[in-house]
Amino acid sequence: MVQSFIFAVEEVNRRADVLPNLTLGFSIRDSGDSEFQALRATMGFLTGRGQPAPNYRCGTGPPVAAVIGEDRSALTIPMATWLGLYKFPQVSYGATVAVLSDKTRFPSFLRTLPPDSFRARGLARLVSHLGWTWVGLLAQDDDYGQQGSRALGTALAAAGVCVEFLLEIPSSRAEERLRHLGRALAGAGGPGKVWVGSDVWDPALLAPGGPLARTLGGALVFSSHRGQIPGFREFLGQLHPDRRPEDPFVITFWEEMFACRWSNRTEGPRGGLGEAPWCTGEESLKGRDHPFLDMGDLSVTYSCYNAVHSVARALHALASCEDGAGPFGGGTCARIRDFQPWQLLHYLWKVRFRNSHGEEVFFDALGDPPALYDIMNWQETPGGTFHFQEVGKFDSTTLPGQEMVLNDSSILWLGMEKQVPRSVCSESCPPGTRQTPHKGKPPCCFDCTPCPEGQMADKTDSLECRMCPGDDFWPNKRKDQCVKKAVEFLEFGEPLGAALASLGATLALATSAILALFIRHRETPIVRANGRALSYVLLTSLLLCDLCSLLFLGRPGALTCLLRQVAFGLTFTLGVSCVLAKTIMVVIAFRATVPGSPLRRWLGPGLPGAVVLACSLAQGVICATWLAAAPSFPERDTRSSPGKVLLVCNEGSPVAFWCVLGYLWLLALVSFVLAFLARRLPDGFNEAKFITFSMVVFVSVWGAFLPAHLSTRGRATVAVEVFSILCSSSGLLGCIFFPKCYILLVRPDRNTREFLMGRETAGPR
């Protein structure tokens, strides 16, 4: 990192297009991994001499431009607090704690590595992309680890991922930390687990041949972007203590690299090298394999390189200012050889350039750079060694939802497996079900409960089932999508509709045949004795009743809905009125034979017609009132039958419907009572018995119709009414006319006046 800093400064000084005729200098201070030492070095840097003197600048040398560093967040926070008091620019290349983005506390702090909030968001996106919802967290037990684990936990929760456990690793020396981590991994079921981390892990954890290299096989590392620095490898290859005698880092590196002692070292040989041979100076770095020369991990190095160039570009912009067009009061400019820290900070916020790698460098409103991360996979090779392989990237500057690009096929998991491991508390709930959380457990632990009737869930892991939009849609059998409801009505083509239509047509034909038979034998005693005209009218009404049942079948329309109940009511009233007229005539004819009976004056051909007309007219008034006030109309019933749209006829006025039916029932009841009272009349008037039976059938049918009608909907209601019409019609036809047809067709010898008057005994058949 130090060498990348020096390389960047020398590169700026060599360029003619940046700070021409000016040379950047630098001073490197060691914080000693101590907050106190970091603050002491910072104050000494600002003071301009070894002994710090707050609020003083000693010496007349060139102005101090900016502080590059620190790389550790714990040390950077007190430094940034102090430097912020003076609005002194500070650009960090490694401090990533999110709190440093607070510009009210750290107004002069900027950085070239993105804050951990982006890393937490990226890690959560990665875990979610892999389909994992059940994870554990390992964090260092210092403030940095705790803040990072909280940020990651929040991001994971927002992505629907649950944390099973949080293990804290003590902040101690590397060897001790490795032992703690080994125990933590074992406690978390280390083997077989997939580990996802960041490049802030101790390098010893993932070092090839390290103690945990195999345990962490297949791990994914969310690493800071590793840009390339052209010419940097050649720069490192040319390092030599003779070329940089003022650089103690080069001498130390040389001694460790070649296990020798440098003769010009002022403070004596390093520990462990007291008996080592002297360095000859002829040693060469060419062909050497050392992590220092590895260009594969330049994340922090690259960030430090960008930090130096950012300050250089800000200085160049300050030096290029023209009087009268400057950003300060009255259009003035700052002087490059004597400027205030806040003046350079103004230009530093506006820095935007492309570095030598071709990548754009700039700072947002919080002083943070764009979040660029490389997703690395710790892969095992066929030879049993491990190495990092880039498998994806995360770029916060792209469109939302497209920040992460991951090549899943290039990932090798533990054991060189290509299949993504599963990590869930509960398997996903398929469409058609919803999640039911386990009581007392995280939301990722749940049961899959089928959606209730009438609700659906068309997505995986739905939290709630919902109703289908509108009244015309209903969930399918799997309850994973909405389909149009089936339209239902009693059709002619379906078995039930065809059976009822066939029955109605058969009864209509039978009634027509009987009517024709009666007309053919109209002059015979059996036809004339039972009121020929009434019989014709009754048969005609029964024929119309049979035919009107067909109005109830098929798709309901405005005309059929308007006519069917009215037609049913009027035709049946006509029929029952004829039966009532027959019954009255039987009773009066029998009672009028008593000498002095007042009923004699009611006898005559006009009585039956008057009874039929009066009864029918009353029903006609009811039906006319119904049609005028609330006529029937077709309706789509979407609520009565789940999953179906019932095409029905809305009766308009239920009161009117039940008035029509009640009036019919009243007429039938009166006919039944009168016929029952006349059941013991002489044999010539035995028709009263047949009328009694027919009315028993009629009253029974429509009495059973009432609960059946109220308990059904849709085509079942229609079928019940059609069946009731046909049953009552056939009851009247069978009970009243079949005995007469029997005489007309089978026993014509009984079709005589004497037999009907009971004065002749029938002969053998």
Side-chain angles (χ1 to χ4, degrees):
M1 184 274 298
V2 172
Q3 298 304 320
S4 70
F5 175 83
I6 298 172
F7 173 79
V9 172
E10 292 183 356
E11 186 178 66
V12 169
N13 290 334
R14 288 195 304 269
R15 294 184 61 163
D17 59 333
V18 179
L19 295 176
N21 302 320
L22 291 172
T23 302
L24 285 181
F26 61 87
S27 174
I28 299 177
R29 309 290 176 99
D30 185 7
S31 64
D33 201 15
S34 163
E35 292 184 19
F36 172 77
Q37 186 62 29
L39 282 175
R40 181 182 178 87
T42 301
M43 287 188 283
F45 182 66
L46 296 182
T47 302
R49 66 179 189 179
Q51 185 64 29
N55 301 323
Y56 284 92
R57 170 67 180 165
C58 303
T60 58
V64 177
V67 171
I68 305 294
E70 239 274 351
D71 65 338
R72 284 155 292 186
S73 298
L75 304 185
T76 301
I77 291 176
M79 290 175 58
T81 303
W82 182 268
L83 293 171
L85 297 175
Y86 304 99
K87 299 295 188 293
F88 196 92
Q90 177 187 9
V91 183
S92 173
Y93 51 83
T96 57
V97 68
V99 71
L100 288 168
S101 296
D102 184 356
K103 294 301 107 178
T104 59
R105 294 179 57 188
F106 311 105
S108 63
F109 175 82
L110 300 93
R111 51 185 160 192
T112 50
L113 269 185
D116 289 330
S117 55
F118 283 104
R119 191 189 303 273
R121 194 176 79 187
L123 284 169
R125 179 71 61 84
L126 175 62
V127 170
S128 179
H129 174 83
L130 295 171
W132 299 341
T133 59
W134 194 238
V135 300
L137 296 183
L138 269 71
Q140 201 161 285
D141 66 351
D142 56 12
D143 287 343
Y144 180 78
Q146 291 171 359
Q147 291 182 28
S149 62
R150 283 197 298 269
L152 181 55
T154 301
L156 289 172
V161 180
C162 297
V163 177
E164 182 184 9
F165 61 84
L166 170 62
L167 295 179
E168 293 187 342
I169 307 302
S171 302
S172 52
R173 291 177 301 173
E175 298 81 4
E176 192 173 339
R177 187 160 60 246
L178 285 176
R179 288 197 298 271
H180 281 294
L181 183 57
R183 288 195 295 268
L185 294 181
K193 301 294 182 181
V194 176
W195 301 95
V196 180
S198 66
D199 52 9
V200 296
W201 282 8
D202 193 316
L205 298 181
L206 295 177
L212 297 177
R214 183 166 298 279
T215 301
L216 299 176
L220 293 175
V221 177
F222 217 76
S223 170
S224 299
H225 180 54
R226 307 175 179 207
Q228 298 298 315
I229 306 176
F232 184 53
R233 183 178 180 84
E234 292 75 13
F235 172 81
L236 293 179
Q238 295 174 2
L239 288 179
H240 196 281
D242 286 338
R243 297 192 185 97
R244 297 183 180 277
E246 78 287 352
D247 189 346
F249 300 103
V250 175
I251 296 176
T252 301
F253 163 70
W254 201 266
E255 289 180 337
E256 291 183 353
M257 184 71 180
F258 298 104
C260 62
R261 292 178 293 165
W262 191 256
S263 60
N264 294 338
R265 173 180 282 276
T266 58
E267 67 273 18
R270 289 175 56 83
L273 296 177
E275 302 300 325
W278 294 101
C279 300
T280 64
E282 300 297 325
E283 297 87 0
S284 176
L285 292 175
K286 292 182 179 180
R288 287 279 181 170
D289 185 15
H290 192 274
F292 182 74
L293 303 175
D294 183 12
M295 299 291 106
D297 183 8
L298 294 180
S299 54
V300 177
T301 303
Y302 183 67
S303 178
C304 180
Y305 174 82
N306 286 334
V308 173
H309 275 274
S310 297
V311 174
R313 296 290 179 139
L315 287 169
H316 180 79
L318 185 149
S320 302
C321 178
E322 297 180 1
D323 286 333
F328 308 116
T332 59
C333 298
R335 292 176 295 171
I336 187 62
R337 300 185 184 277
D338 185 17
F339 60 85
Q340 295 298 317
W342 59 266
Q343 292 176 315
L344 178 62
L345 183 63
H346 169 83
Y347 288 100
L348 191 58
W349 279 103
K350 298 180 180 296
V351 161
R352 196 179 191 104
F353 65 97
R354 289 194 177 277
N355 60 20
S356 57
H357 187 49
E359 293 182 345
E360 193 172 27
V361 179
F362 64 92
F363 303 101
D364 63 15
L366 301 178
D368 299 326
L372 299 175
Y373 295 100
D374 298 330
I375 304 175
M376 312 298 289
N377 181 213
W378 186 236
Q379 296 184 354
E380 182 179 5
T381 65
T385 60
F386 290 84
H387 72 287
F388 277 116
Q389 174 66 42
E390 183 177 318
V391 293
K393 289 186 178 296
F394 182 90
D395 185 355
S396 66
T397 62
T398 58
L399 296 175
Q402 301 179 11
E403 298 97 335
M404 189 180 73
V405 177
L406 187 66
N407 185 4
D408 300 83
S409 61
S410 64
I411 301 176
L412 285 181
W413 305 100
L414 187 63
M416 304 181 67
E417 293 288 336
K418 302 287 286 186
Q419 182 67 34
V420 179
R422 296 283 295 162
S423 183
V424 297
C425 180
S426 300
E427 292 295 336
S428 295
C429 290
T433 62
R434 65 179 178 87
Q435 295 181 358
T436 304
H438 291 170
K439 188 175 181 179
K441 290 189 176 182
C444 296
C445 300
F446 49 81
D447 292 323
C448 297
T449 305
C451 290
E453 187 68 20
Q455 298 186 20
M456 55 80 67
D458 56 357
K459 296 180 180 179
T460 301
D461 288 331
S462 296
L463 298 178
E464 295 292 340
C465 299
R466 57 184 176 85
M467 305 290 291
C468 288
D471 291 332
D472 290 337
F473 291 89
W474 187 258
N476 59 2
K477 290 183 178 180
R478 295 189 301 273
K479 299 180 181 179
D480 59 358
Q481 63 177 330
C482 291
V483 296
K484 294 206 71 170
K485 290 182 177 179
V487 177
E488 183 181 276
F489 56 90
L490 191 57
E491 299 183 71
F492 284 99
E494 64 177 289
L496 180 58
L500 292 175
S502 301
L503 180 59
T506 302
L507 289 176
L509 290 175
T511 305
S512 300
I514 294 174
L515 178 59
L517 182 64
F518 267 55
I519 293 174
R520 181 179 178 185
H521 297 86
R522 60 186 175 277
E523 299 300 336
T524 61
I526 191 68
V527 175
R528 296 183 65 183
N530 290 281
R532 180 170 53 190
L534 278 180
S535 296
Y536 292 163
V537 175
L538 178 55
L539 286 169
T540 303
S541 68
L542 293 178
L543 174 62
L544 294 176
C545 286
D546 297 333
L547 295 177
C548 81
S549 67
L550 301 179
L551 294 174
F552 290 80
L553 305 178
R555 179 182 288 270
L559 184 60
T560 56
C561 287
L562 194 66
L563 293 179
R564 66 183 192 178
Q565 295 293 2
V566 173
F568 153 69
L570 290 177
T571 54
F572 252 110
T573 299
L574 181 61
V576 177
S577 298
C578 290
V579 174
L580 178 60
K582 279 178 170 286
T583 308
I584 292 174
M585 285 299 297
V586 169
V587 173
I588 290 179
F590 177 73
R591 301 298 181 187
T593 59
V594 179
S597 175
L599 295 177
R600 283 180 176 271
R601 67 176 180 269
W602 293 100
L603 286 173
L607 179 60
V611 171
V612 171
L613 181 61
C615 294
S616 300
L617 187 60
Q619 186 72 290
V621 171
I622 296 175
C623 290
T625 304
W626 185 5
L627 290 177
S632 299
F633 59 90
E635 181 183 47
R636 294 170 60 89
D637 183 359
T638 59
R639 301 185 182 276
S640 298
S641 182
K644 297 178 182 178
V645 176
L646 304 181
L647 297 186
V648 297
C649 285
N650 189 312
E651 307 303 347
S653 172
V655 174
F657 171 74
W658 290 112
C659 283
V660 169
L661 202 60
Y663 181 74
L664 269 176
W665 203 82
L666 177 64
L667 290 181
L669 187 61
V670 172
S671 299
F672 169 74
V673 172
L674 291 176
F676 182 78
L677 293 176
R679 70 189 186 282
R680 299 188 181 278
L681 294 179
D683 289 345
F685 298 95
N686 263 350
E687 191 175 21
K689 297 178 181 178
F690 301 136
I691 292 175
T692 301
F693 293 145
S694 67
M695 289 302 101
V696 168
V697 173
F698 188 91
V699 172
S700 300
V701 168
W702 290 105
F705 167 79
L706 178 61
H709 178 82
L710 294 177
S711 62
T712 57
R713 291 295 297 169
R715 63 177 184 175
T717 303
V718 175
V720 167
E721 188 165 358
V722 172
F723 187 74
S724 299
I725 292 172
L726 298 178
C727 282
S728 55
S729 173
S730 61
L732 290 175
L733 185 67
C735 292
I736 295 176
F737 291 100
F738 278 9
K740 299 176 179 60
C741 292
Y742 174 76
I743 292 174
L744 289 173
L745 297 175
V746 181
R747 299 299 300 273
D749 58 296
R750 293 185 178 183
N751 191 5
T752 63
R753 182 179 178 80
E754 290 75 13
F755 178 81
L756 294 177
M757 295 300 294
R759 294 196 292 265
E760 179 180 308
T761 303
R765 294 181 182 179

